[in-house]
Amino acid sequence: IYSFTLHCIVYDSGIKKELQTNGSAAAAAMIQTYLDEQDNIQLNIGITGESGSGKSSFVNAFRGIHNSDKKRAAPTGVKETTTDPTPYPHPNHPNVTLWDLPGIGTTKFPADEYLKKIEFERFDFFIIISADRFRENDVKLAEEIQKMKKKFYFVRSKIDHNIRDEEETQGSEFNEEETLKEIREDCIQGRVESPQVFLVSSRKLNLYDFHLLEKTLQEELLAHKRNALLLALPNVSLEIIIKKKEALQARIKYRAGVSALGAFTPVPGLSFGADMIMMVTTIRQYQATFGLDSESLQRLAQTVGLPLDELRAVMTSPLAGKEINKDLIIKLVSCSVVDLSLTATEEGFRFIPLFGIPAAMTLSSVSTYTTLNMFLNMLADDAQKVFEKALGLDTTV
């Protein structure tokens, strides 16, 4: 009975063994522990460079926070505003932390002692930012990071300013693609072996090379850290939204497994109540990951200079603009004929000897799987519409 039910929803020999050895409660706890671990994988990103390079602006843009947000933003300015390594956790994914590091070569952080003073070991990778050509200290830092077998990436910031200036200078002869190519080639001039240089505007992450930086980080990060980065990324492309949806979708089978194991308890209504609590928590996570919670939408509205109501107006799901709670989810599930019939059938099966409990477990897993996929699709669609509205694209196409 156990093996059949679990085989349908979770393909993990360790969980099956736990189920057979210690029972359904222990197996459910094992799955939940796995999910909790996935949600709390720590990722520490070091952002460094000389003073005035745009480090703090990049930290803020990555976290979806406007520079003017005095409560959450890393302070920006033309002078060095970072005097010590300062952590800035992601507002929706606090397991992902961007560290605004002091500029290398300052009196307090001389180049030859820099890595030791910032406690190099705690960072998963470094992003070295410059507003023009990378300087000697940047190159020295990159060489030291290479020696210690960690990854670094050069980011050339404020590209939108450079493009604007070049367009004004060259007039009708201006070619953006050629200009970007020249800037990229001029950044390092062969000082570092196989450098990766990404041209980025913190004001417009959807332009230039941010998507290439994101793709490279995804490819080169350790496997267990990739999703932590992905779920925290700002929605600067439709591709990122799709990847987030796929990552969240891959976990639904585990939540369906917890639901099935919870249905083993032959108490009418208990499984449904537990499932509703789990769904509320999970759907709130989806909402935050897609940046559709109230605070995230307010930050986005501030960043793109649109009224909050205009962003909310393009969202069409029944979750739009609502607080995710148990009553709302029950109401929406009740409107779904398939989910409602599955739930009713599950409760009815409990009273059938021998066959009833395993059938109820299977139906519980199918109901949870179907419902979470439905809400995930709704929120992913809303995220796409909000993204298009934020960029001024035609959301009616």
Side-chain angles (χ1 to χ4, degrees):
I1 290 172
Y2 291 143
S3 296
F4 171 76
T5 303
L6 202 58
H7 178 74
C8 295
I9 47 178
V10 180
Y11 305 93
D12 188 304
S13 59
I15 295 171
K16 288 182 181 180
K17 183 178 179 181
E18 184 71 14
L19 175 62
Q20 293 164 348
T21 304
N22 297 313
S24 61
M30 186 176 186
I31 298 174
Q32 190 59 54
T33 297
Y34 168 78
L35 291 171
D36 291 342
E37 287 173 350
Q38 293 301 301
D39 290 337
N40 291 289
I41 290 173
Q42 297 298 308
L43 183 66
N44 290 288
I45 306 170
I47 312 296
T48 186
E50 292 190 337
S51 59
S53 62
K55 295 185 278 91
S56 298
S57 291
F58 182 86
V59 168
N60 295 335
F62 189 102
R63 296 161 59 240
I65 292 175
H66 198 271
N67 286 341
S68 63
D69 188 331
K70 295 181 180 180
K71 183 178 179 181
R72 293 188 175 186
T76 58
V78 293
K79 295 182 179 179
E80 179 62 58
T81 55
T82 307
T83 57
D84 290 293
T86 307
Y88 290 96
H90 190 282
N92 292 341
H93 298 274
N95 55 307
V96 176
T97 302
L98 280 77
W99 291 75
D100 192 357
L101 302 177
I104 185 171
T106 60
T107 304
K108 189 174 180 180
F109 291 87
D112 57 347
E113 298 179 21
Y114 187 80
L115 291 178
K116 180 179 178 181
K117 283 182 172 289
I118 65 168
E119 299 181 30
F120 168 89
E121 296 79 9
R122 66 183 161 192
F123 299 105
D124 292 284
F125 60 87
F126 291 83
I127 293 176
I128 304 173
I129 295 182
S130 176
D132 42 56
R133 187 176 298 178
F134 289 92
R135 309 296 183 184
E136 183 179 353
N137 282 337
D138 298 319
V139 175
K140 283 182 180 179
L141 175 59
E143 290 171 344
E144 291 302 312
I145 294 172
Q146 278 182 325
K147 289 178 185 177
M148 297 188 181
K149 309 297 183 186
K150 286 203 177 183
K151 294 286 186 179
F152 69 90
Y153 306 91
F154 283 118
V155 165
R156 174 73 155 72
S157 65
K158 305 180 183 180
I159 290 300
D160 52 326
H161 295 170
N162 300 124
I163 292 297
R164 182 193 61 207
D165 293 344
E166 285 298 316
E167 187 173 11
E168 290 178 357
T169 301
Q170 297 180 26
S172 60
E173 308 229 336
F174 173 74
N175 183 303
E176 181 172 310
E177 187 175 336
E178 285 297 319
T179 300
L180 291 172
K181 182 180 177 182
E182 289 174 11
I183 292 173
R184 190 177 286 106
E185 291 175 349
D186 188 51
C187 282
I188 298 179
Q189 303 257 328
R191 293 183 181 181
V192 179
E193 183 180 351
S194 301
Q196 297 185 80
V197 181
F198 301 92
L199 311 183
V200 170
S201 164
S202 294
R203 294 172 63 247
K204 300 176 181 179
L205 287 183
N206 60 297
L207 301 180
Y208 314 116
D209 291 348
F210 185 81
H211 69 288
L212 296 176
L213 174 62
E214 170 267 322
K215 184 178 180 180
T216 302
L217 295 177
Q218 284 280 300
E219 290 172 350
E220 298 187 357
L221 262 179
L222 294 174
H224 69 291
K225 301 237 178 186
R226 289 173 190 161
N227 275 354
L229 173 69
L230 171 63
L231 299 181
L233 285 170
N235 293 339
V236 297
S237 71
L238 294 179
E239 184 181 5
I240 287 177
I241 294 172
I242 292 169
K243 285 182 178 179
K244 286 183 177 184
K245 178 182 174 181
E246 291 171 348
L248 294 170
Q249 205 161 33
R251 299 183 187 180
I252 291 180
K253 64 181 180 181
Y254 293 99
R255 301 192 190 281
V258 173
S259 176
L261 294 165
F264 178 77
T265 304
V267 178
L270 183 62
S271 173
F272 179 77
D275 285 348
M276 285 300 105
I277 293 172
M278 180 265 288
M279 284 186 189
V280 168
T281 301
T282 303
I283 295 165
R284 283 176 180 169
Q285 180 191 46
Y286 294 169
Q287 191 182 50
T289 296
F290 286 122
L292 299 177
D293 57 293
S294 294
E295 288 191 9
S296 295
L297 286 172
Q298 287 172 357
R299 292 195 299 267
L300 177 62
Q302 182 182 24
T303 299
V304 300
L306 285 175
L308 177 60
D309 288 344
E310 287 192 20
L311 293 180
R312 283 181 168 156
V314 300
M315 299 164 64
T316 57
S317 80
L319 298 171
K322 296 184 175 66
E323 180 187 351
I324 307 299
N325 55 43
K326 186 177 176 180
D327 291 339
L328 175 63
I329 300 306
I330 291 175
K331 178 181 177 181
L332 295 179
V333 169
S334 299
C335 294
S336 170
V337 175
V338 174
D339 285 326
L340 189 60
S341 62
L342 285 172
T343 301
T345 306
E346 174 195 338
E347 292 300 322
F349 269 129
R350 293 183 183 281
F351 300 99
I352 302 175
L354 297 178
F355 177 71
I357 293 300
M361 292 172 72
T362 301
L363 287 171
S364 182
S365 71
V366 171
S367 177
T368 297
Y369 191 90
T370 302
T371 302
L372 287 179
N373 267 295
M374 177 181 72
F375 287 125
L376 179 59
N377 288 331
M378 286 180 182
L379 290 169
D381 288 345
D382 276 349
Q384 179 174 331
K385 292 182 177 71
V386 169
F387 163 77
E388 291 172 342
K389 180 65 177 180
L391 291 188
L393 303 177
D394 186 355
T395 57
T396 63
V397 176

